Amino acid sequence: MFVYLDNSATTKQYDAVTDKMVVYMKEDFGNPSSLHKLGLTAEKAVKNARKNVAEAIGVRDDEIIFTSGGTEADNTALLGAASARKRRGKKIITSTIEHPAVLETASKLENLGFTVEYLDVDENGSVNPEALQEAMTEDTILISVMGVNNEVGTIEPVKEMVQIKDKYNKEHGTDILFHMDGVQSFGKLSHMINGIDMISVSGHKIHGPKGIGALYVRKGLMIEPYLIGGGQEKHMRSGTENVPAIAGFGQAAKLTDDNLECRIKNMSAARNYLMEGIKAEIKDIKINSVEKDSFVWDSGMCCPSVLNISFLGTRGEVLLHTLEQEEIYVSTGSACSSNKKGQSHVLKAMGLKDKEIEGAIRFSFSEFNTIEEMDYVLGHLKDAVARFRRLGSFR
């Protein structure tokens, strides 16, 4: 049986998305900037996709900028806001568990003379909103915090932090912006937008194509473009539009947003069935994700798409490859960090011990996972953990 449980890394593309993309590769391949019929057809495809993505986020069409993915969206948000507001202040606030697309951009801004404060998290991977209250100064121009953590699934207290930011702005006459990396929450939780100035999303996390994403920028907010030269996307992202990918992203956004609650419930059912099975049948584990999940923005709970567990006395990478032999696909952490040496910065920030980090596996779910698949995973996982511990491979 084939079981794919690495959906936080990427998802299987919907067939309808592939079909849509093929049309714009083989037939309607025009450049949206061209004035002839093929160009107008491509332009219409981009317009329709923008509408679908905007509706799935819960914003206006003209607030969406298409990018090459979540990383470019994050880069654009941080670099663009910092450049546009450098005369207002030099301080940026983020957290220690952000995606490298945010952390490495923050580091770059430090090299350019900005000050970055990194908020710590608790043992559940949740930022303390009160820490944000203490960190804000009148020199602060931007806060960037992810909506859902990509390794453990914790729903961050974004609503509370936005309220704190708004109150501070009102009391101090500042205009601090709030950016949310929404790559892991988009299509996995209900809409949430009030008070957020910028949101990054990605196509391939919602059964769309790779290489396409979007940045929501609140209407009226001016940031500096990251890519310049052609004037596309209202001069906010130059370069000929990737029409097949944009059209596919729009199709995926529409399919994801339709009957969203039912899709999330399917993820939750698979996640919780597997978690309870592991708790019942495998000893010496540590559940790193918050056990209770939520379909809405309940701060401190877990997104239904993620379950992170440490199998003590094992090595996650060995378990991964053992399960792979049975056509079960999981991960040891974020795909974007897997090429880098060292331990998970998220689990380390949560205070896990070295051996707990080494034995960690991330299971991440889609709407297509079934209870039958979870029974198959549970059986092979139990055998793999027992075999590893029996052989004493862990040193």
Side-chain angles (χ1 to χ4, degrees):
M1 180 182 286
F2 173 88
V3 185
Y4 185 72
L5 292 176
D6 197 14
N7 291 281
S8 290
T10 196
T11 53
K12 182 182 179 183
Q13 196 162 293
Y14 288 130
D15 289 343
V17 168
T18 304
D19 294 343
K20 173 80 76 175
M21 293 176 70
V22 168
V23 172
Y24 294 99
M25 292 176 181
K26 297 181 67 173
E27 299 168 19
D28 298 325
F29 55 83
N31 186 325
S33 297
S34 296
L35 299 179
H36 49 63
K37 188 169 70 176
L38 274 177
L40 295 177
T41 301
E43 183 185 25
K44 186 177 178 182
V46 173
K47 182 179 178 182
N48 288 339
R50 197 184 310 280
K51 177 175 179 292
N52 290 340
V53 172
E55 287 180 352
I57 298 176
V59 299
R60 299 162 49 109
D61 300 9
D62 59 0
E63 294 174 317
I64 296 297
I65 301 166
F66 286 117
T67 66
S68 65
T71 293
E72 186 190 319
D74 284 342
N75 285 191
T76 301
L78 269 70
L79 295 173
S83 179
R85 299 202 162 208
K86 59 189 175 190
R87 290 186 176 82
R88 298 190 187 195
K90 291 284 188 181
K91 184 170 181 178
I92 294 161
I93 301 171
T94 186
S95 84
T96 55
I97 59 163
E98 298 299 313
H99 188 278
V102 167
L103 291 177
E104 293 187 19
T105 308
S107 178
K108 178 174 181 174
L109 287 169
E110 284 185 284
N111 292 334
L112 295 173
F114 290 85
T115 301
V116 181
E117 182 160 346
Y118 299 88
L119 304 178
D120 290 329
V121 296
D122 63 17
E123 68 276 12
N124 293 322
S126 182
V127 175
N128 180 359
E130 291 180 4
L132 174 63
Q133 176 76 57
E134 294 173 6
M136 283 188 296
T137 64
E138 294 187 2
D139 192 39
T140 304
I141 55 173
L142 175 67
I143 301 161
S144 179
V145 175
M146 59 189 4
V148 167
N149 181 262
N150 53 326
E151 293 195 35
V152 293
T154 306
I155 301 172
E156 297 300 330
V158 173
K159 281 193 300 187
E160 292 84 345
M161 288 190 283
V162 168
Q163 289 170 357
I164 289 170
K165 179 265 297 181
D166 287 345
K167 185 170 183 285
Y168 187 93
N169 279 339
K170 189 175 180 181
E171 292 176 351
H172 293 79
T174 50
D175 187 21
I176 301 169
L177 302 178
F178 196 102
H179 164 251
M180 181 177 83
D181 178 347
V183 168
Q184 294 293 343
S185 57
F186 184 44
K188 317 287 174 57
L189 294 177
S190 58
H191 298 174
M192 197 276 283
I193 188 66
N194 290 338
I196 301 179
D197 300 291
M198 296 178 284
I199 300 176
S200 304
V201 297
S202 174
H204 73 109
K205 308 293 188 182
I206 60 163
H207 306 281
K210 298 175 181 65
I212 186 70
L215 177 65
Y216 153 75
V217 179
R218 172 177 53 79
K219 188 171 178 61
L221 172 61
M222 301 298 294
I223 63 172
E224 294 288 333
Y226 180 51
L227 295 179
I228 57 174
Q232 288 87 352
E233 297 296 287
K234 295 182 181 177
H235 296 277
M236 283 306 302
R237 202 280 181 180
S238 288
T240 302
E241 296 91 339
N242 183 349
V243 178
I246 289 173
F249 185 20
Q251 182 72 26
K254 181 168 180 15
L255 291 170
T256 297
D257 200 41
D258 288 346
N259 206 10
L260 177 63
E261 184 174 339
C262 180
R263 296 173 190 278
I264 299 173
K265 281 182 178 175
N266 287 346
M267 292 181 212
S268 176
R271 173 192 187 272
N272 292 333
Y273 186 90
L274 181 62
M275 179 176 68
E276 293 303 325
I278 291 172
K279 285 166 64 178
E281 299 203 25
I282 302 179
K283 294 180 179 177
D284 297 325
I285 61 167
K286 181 180 187 307
I287 300 179
N288 303 318
S289 299
V290 176
E291 292 194 29
K292 188 170 178 53
D293 65 3
S294 172
F295 301 177
V296 294
W297 287 87
D298 287 321
S299 306
M301 291 191 186
C302 193
C303 183
S305 58
V306 182
L307 175 63
N308 190 307
I309 299 181
S310 293
F311 298 89
L312 307 180
T314 73
R315 290 181 59 188
E317 187 174 345
V318 176
L319 289 181
L320 179 154
H321 290 301
T322 303
L323 293 173
E324 180 185 14
Q325 294 171 17
E326 306 298 336
E327 291 289 290
I328 298 168
Y329 296 89
V330 299
S331 71
T332 55
S334 159
C336 294
S337 299
S338 62
N339 292 327
K340 298 176 181 176
K341 302 281 185 189
Q343 296 179 326
S344 157
H345 71 287
V346 174
L347 299 181
K348 202 169 184 65
M350 290 167 58
L352 268 68
K353 298 172 184 173
D354 289 350
K355 290 189 175 181
E356 292 171 335
I357 296 174
E358 286 178 318
I361 291 284
R362 180 186 68 179
F363 307 91
S364 52
F365 305 85
S366 80
E367 66 201 67
F368 300 116
N369 291 127
T370 65
I371 298 302
E372 182 185 12
E373 288 179 352
M374 296 308 104
D375 280 329
Y376 179 77
V377 172
L378 192 54
H380 287 288
L381 178 62
K382 185 178 174 183
D383 289 346
V385 171
R387 193 182 322 143
F388 192 102
R389 287 172 175 166
R390 188 170 57 248
L391 293 174
S393 301
F394 188 69
R395 295 286 185 272

